[in-house]
């Protein structure tokens, strides 16, 4: 399939869900300033053969990766460790506009939870609700899997991501500290 095209109906793996009715599509809504904030989209889990569809939004978050490197890393390393990839298709753009990558994790500190490793939206599609709908999808999936929490890491300089998560009901519950070795 060529990049930028919508998938054929029924193609790929996971179920497409974008709204509480499960219709697979959402309708347009107008915000107080008159802009259209909810546009037709489809949320869909991408199976391994369709990982490449998420590369365009992911390269904005992970610019060090090439398309081939991204697909190889996700499919050969991360998926065997439980990583899953969900895409938000933008009807106007006719392509994947946002992506969310996550894992189910069990830890002594947090119990069973979803760890969102990657959440990103194409610059041209920001402000249209893609990330919000991906987080809502992740919350439904967390409940389905019996998870107690969702953990979302966002680099300290990603202020828009912080605002999005806080608006979505997330709280700053810990510091994530790193050290290069």
């Amino acid at each position: 399939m060529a990049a930028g095209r919508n998938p054929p109906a029924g193609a790929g793996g996971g179920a497409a869900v974008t709204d509480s009715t499960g219709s697979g599509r959402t309708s347009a809504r107008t915000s107080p300033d008159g802009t259209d904030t909810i546009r037709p989209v489809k949320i869909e889990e991408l199976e391994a053969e369709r990982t490449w569809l998420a590369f365009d939004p992911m390269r904005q978050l992970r610019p060090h990766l090439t398309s081939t490197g991204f697909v190889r890393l996700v499919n050969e390393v991360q998926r065997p460790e439980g990583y899953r990839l969900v895409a938000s298709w933008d009807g106007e753009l006719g392509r994947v506009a946002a992506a969310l990558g996550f894992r189910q994790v069990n830890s002594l500190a947090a119990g069973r939870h979803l760890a969102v490793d990657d959440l990103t939206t194409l610059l041209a599609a920001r402000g249209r609700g893609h990330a919000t709908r991906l987080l809502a999808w992740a919350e439904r999936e967390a409940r389905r899997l019996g998870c107690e929490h969702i953990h979302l890491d966002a680099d300290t300089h990603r202020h828009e991501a912080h605002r999005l998560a806080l608006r979505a009901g997330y709280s700053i519950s810990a510091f994530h500290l790193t050290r290069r070795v």
Side-chain angles (χ1 to χ4, degrees), residues 47-165:
E47 298 299 331
E49 65 275 2
R50 300 176 75 227
T51 296
W52 64 274
L53 293 167
F55 177 68
D56 283 342
M58 279 294 186
R59 89 170 131 190
Q60 291 181 124
L61 186 62
R62 310 287 181 225
H64 62 284
L65 295 174
T66 63
S67 177
T68 302
F70 167 72
V71 171
R72 186 175 297 127
L73 180 62
V74 168
N75 289 344
E76 295 176 14
V77 178
Q78 291 183 272
R79 284 188 189 273
E81 295 175 345
Y83 184 86
R84 294 168 58 192
L85 190 58
V86 181
S88 178
W89 290 84
D90 188 294
E92 287 186 10
L93 295 176
R95 62 193 267 197
V96 171
L100 180 140
F102 71 97
R103 300 168 286 123
Q104 182 179 327
V105 178
N106 291 288
S107 71
L108 294 175
R112 173 182 241 138
H113 63 279
L114 284 189
V116 175
D117 296 321
D118 308 296
L119 176 60
T120 181
T121 304
L122 291 170
L123 290 173
R126 290 197 179 157
R128 295 183 183 181
H130 290 284
T132 299
R133 285 188 290 258
L134 284 169
L135 288 174
W137 185 97
E139 185 173 333
R140 288 189 300 275
E141 185 64 2
R143 282 192 183 107
R144 187 186 75 77
L145 294 172
C147 294
E148 299 173 34
H149 306 277
I150 299 174
H151 291 220
L152 171 65
D153 282 341
D155 289 341
T156 56
H157 68 279
R158 297 193 63 226
H159 303 293
E160 287 182 46
H162 304 159
R163 284 189 292 275
L164 170 77

Side-chain angles (χ1 to χ4, degrees), residues 39-52:
R39 297 169 188 246
V41 301
K42 181 172 78 169
I43 303 294
E44 168 182 37
E45 185 166 354
L46 299 176
E47 298 299 331
E49 65 275 2
R50 300 176 75 227
T51 296
W52 64 274

